[in-house]
Amino acid sequence: MTQITVSEASQNLPELIEAALSGEEIIIIKENQPVVKLIPVIPVKRRPTFGSAKGLVTISDDFDEPLEDFKEYME
């Protein structure tokens, strides 16, 4: 873990970004207190591939049949 002041960070930002991307934890301090942690952003997960759930969901054969509870309304 590297601690660096705000003024040093502003002068060395590109190098600090590269260090953070390499896995180093960078803490920026102001008045001897930690104020910012520089870490890489976790990539957003990709959308599922079309058809990736094939075979996981089944629909019964009578799915679209009238419901017994509503039989009196259907007549």
Side-chain angles (χ1 to χ4, degrees), residues 8-27:
E8 291 172 325
S10 66
Q11 294 171 2
N12 301 307
L13 188 58
E15 293 85 5
L16 294 173
I17 291 172
E18 287 302 318
L21 290 173
S22 299
E24 189 175 340
E25 189 175 285
I26 310 294
I27 305 293

Side-chain angles (χ1 to χ4, degrees), residues 25-71:
E25 189 175 285
I26 310 294
I27 305 293
I28 300 174
I29 59 173
K30 183 177 183 179
E31 299 174 3
N32 294 324
Q33 295 296 316
V35 291
V36 175
K37 180 192 273 187
L38 189 59
I39 59 170
V41 174
I42 298 171
V44 177
K45 290 185 179 180
R46 295 185 320 157
R47 298 184 102 185
T49 305
F50 180 75
S52 64
K54 186 176 182 177
L56 298 176
V57 177
T58 58
I59 298 176
S60 64
D61 292 334
D62 64 347
F63 173 76
D64 57 352
E65 296 294 320
L67 296 173
E68 197 63 37
D69 294 344
F70 293 102
K71 191 172 189 174

